[in-house]
Amino acid sequence: MACYLCFSKPVLLFSALVLWAFSTLLEAQDPSQLSSDYYLKTCPIAEQIVRKQMEYAVQADPRNAAAILRLHFHDCFVQGCDGSVLLDDTVTLIGEKKAEQNVKSLKGFDIVDKIKTNLEAGCPGIVTCADLLAIAARDAVVLLGGPYWDVPVGRKDSKTASLDQANTDIPTPQQGLVTIISKFLAKGLSATDMVALAGAHTIGVSRCASFRDRIYGDFELTAKDEASSLPYLSKLKEDCPLDGGDDNVSPMDHFTPNLFDNAFFETLLKGTGLLNSDQEMYSSLVGFETSSLVEKYWADPVAFFNQFSDSMVKMGNITNPEGGEVRKNCRFVNT
Ligand code: HEM
Ligand SMILES: *[C@@H]1O[C@H](CO)[C@@H](O)[C@H](O)[C@H]1NC(C)=O
């Protein structure tokens, strides 16, 4: 006798499978989790738009790549990667732009505006400023010869900023190794992440105000080969006098300032790191772990590139639990 409404064993098994697949699909769409295909359906050209604008910007001036990369770092260290660093001061909101490590120092806001304008033209109201920065930072690295990595996206833009957190959580060049490592640990990043990420200083420049203490301080003490380091030191002193010239800039990797390579680590091995905080990774008495990483990333550029990529994804994964919105203009919260 036929039993049309009876479920056979295979049918039951099949429905169980469907249920399981459905539940894992729901899991994969957890809004707090970033993914590489977040804009696949809503804005498939997002990455192309960012890339094109970054090409223009970096072609005009390679320093722009450094500026964007640093913006992403300073964004992620305050409330998570939520575009808070991009907010302007208004009557109702105190931004982070006047924080000690940001004021007169952060650049690239105009580039962000331009990318955002193009994103809004292509897919209005879809791509967040926080994701824009994460993608643009990756492109910045690639455009100067550094590694490529897939950028997980799906961040939200904050409706607030924190000047206080920007002042306390962003490391300063005067701080010692232990303090800086603990600031990274507080963000869920290890000492290994810290050394690799500081390798970002292989591009970009520092203002005299950030390295004056170092060149009139223990530079000569750490520098190993006098014949090559003394001429470099006198050039630095020329550009950065004891008095004045605070905003004069010098590259942190004076070998290849516009190339994302591992030459920054060579400056540390030679004892000629420009920032005190960078040199400490190699020369500090408590830096046994970090100094061997510096040696490793100098000896093995592939190891540096791989760790840098992994650590960038990890840093980019610091989220703001408050959630947020898709800002229309990166400088202002939506009204
Ligand atoms: C480890 C702790 C760090 C300290 C103490 C530090 C400190 C600094 C300082 C003092 C400057 C020069 C700013 C100025 O004088 O105007 C600078 C520039 C820069 N930093 Fe860091 N930084 C750190 C980590 C990072 C990380 C993790 C990244 C990115 C992944 C990064 C990317 C950059 C870039 C690209 C520049 C050059 C910016 C430009 O040329 O406009 N830094 N950093
Ligand atoms: C990103 O963060 C989530 C939790 O918010 C975690 O499950 C995931 O493993 C993290 N991914 C990386 C690459 O750190």
Side-chain angles (χ1 to χ4, degrees):
M1 194 174 59
C3 174
Y4 293 109
L5 286 173
C6 297
F7 295 114
S8 65
K9 261 188 196 157
V11 168
L12 272 173
L13 196 69
F14 179 73
S15 17
L17 261 171
V18 166
L19 264 175
W20 172 80
F22 190 67
S23 64
T24 54
L25 194 74
L26 282 177
E27 226 167 80
Q29 285 171 343
D30 176 353
S32 65
Q33 297 271 329
L34 306 180
S35 74
S36 290
D37 56 6
Y38 187 80
Y39 296 118
L40 192 67
K41 296 227 170 72
T42 52
C43 188
I45 53 170
E47 293 221 356
Q48 268 167 266
I49 293 173
V50 177
R51 171 64 180 237
K52 202 169 99 191
Q53 294 306 317
M54 283 304 292
E55 278 171 13
Y56 293 148
V58 175
Q59 204 155 44
D61 185 353
R63 163 91 189 275
N64 288 333
I68 295 291
L69 178 54
R70 188 163 189 242
L71 275 183
H72 179 51
F73 164 48
H74 285 209
D75 183 25
C76 294
F77 263 55
V78 182
Q79 307 185 155
C81 318
D82 60 358
S84 59
V85 73
L86 302 171
L87 291 169
D88 277 353
D89 288 348
T90 68
V91 281
T92 52
L93 184 140
I94 303 168
E96 295 160 14
K97 293 181 179 179
K98 294 206 176 82
E100 190 203 340
Q101 295 305 306
N102 292 346
V103 70
K104 290 194 203 159
S105 179
L106 287 185
K107 311 260 179 228
F109 297 109
D110 51 333
I111 301 165
V112 171
D113 289 341
K114 214 163 159 220
I115 299 173
K116 181 61 173 172
T117 303
N118 281 274
L119 283 172
E120 288 301 300
C123 342
I126 302 291
V127 184
T128 58
C129 300
D131 281 341
L132 178 170
L133 263 190
I135 299 168
R138 187 273 317 274
D139 290 345
V141 169
V142 170
L143 286 166
L144 293 188
Y148 172 93
W149 63 92
D150 287 322
V151 179
V153 284
R155 298 167 188 82
K156 289 281 182 273
D157 293 330
S158 68
K159 297 181 184 179
T160 59
S162 177
L163 178 63
D164 286 346
Q165 222 188 87
N167 277 321
T168 54
D169 293 11
I170 296 171
T172 82
Q174 290 83 22
Q175 281 165 336
L177 184 64
V178 173
T179 304
I180 293 181
I181 289 179
S182 62
K183 285 189 168 186
F184 275 72
L185 289 178
K187 302 291 170 189
L189 299 168
S190 65
T192 303
D193 293 319
M194 194 271 274
V195 176
L197 289 170
H201 292 167
T202 188
I203 59 172
V205 297
S206 172
R207 283 173 314 136
C208 162
S210 305
F211 63 80
R212 183 183 284 116
D213 292 354
R214 161 93 174 124
I215 61 172
Y216 294 98
D218 68 355
F219 190 102
E220 269 177 282
L221 221 68
T222 57
K224 288 191 178 136
D225 171 18
E226 290 188 2
S228 72
S229 62
L230 286 184
Y232 174 48
L233 180 58
S234 30
K235 174 81 173 61
L236 287 172
K237 287 180 173 172
E238 219 172 90
D239 296 340
C240 181
L242 257 173
D243 246 328
D246 276 12
D247 294 328
N248 297 352
V249 295
S250 292
M252 290 175 282
D253 166 13
H254 64 285
F255 297 120
T256 48
N258 294 328
L259 206 59
F260 196 102
D261 57 7
N262 66 341
F264 162 75
F265 295 107
E266 186 179 352
T267 70
L268 305 187
L269 287 182
K270 293 200 155 137
T272 59
L274 189 58
L275 299 184
N276 184 64
S277 48
D278 287 338
Q279 191 58 53
E280 282 229 343
M281 295 192 298
Y282 186 65
S283 304
S284 167
L285 290 173
V286 292
F288 31 84
E289 185 191 355
T290 54
S291 67
S292 61
L293 287 165
V294 169
E295 278 164 1
K296 176 175 164 184
Y297 297 148
W298 166 236
D300 186 351
V302 176
F304 167 51
F305 276 17
N306 286 336
Q307 186 59 56
F308 185 80
S309 306
D310 288 351
S311 298
M312 282 294 286
V313 171
K314 224 171 131 186
M315 183 174 82
N317 198 30
I318 309 173
T319 46
N320 181 343
E322 307 260 308
E325 59 184 8
V326 180
R327 257 179 240 153
K328 291 195 186 77
N329 178 333
C330 294
R331 293 173 185 268
F332 304 103
V333 171
N334 294 344
T335 47

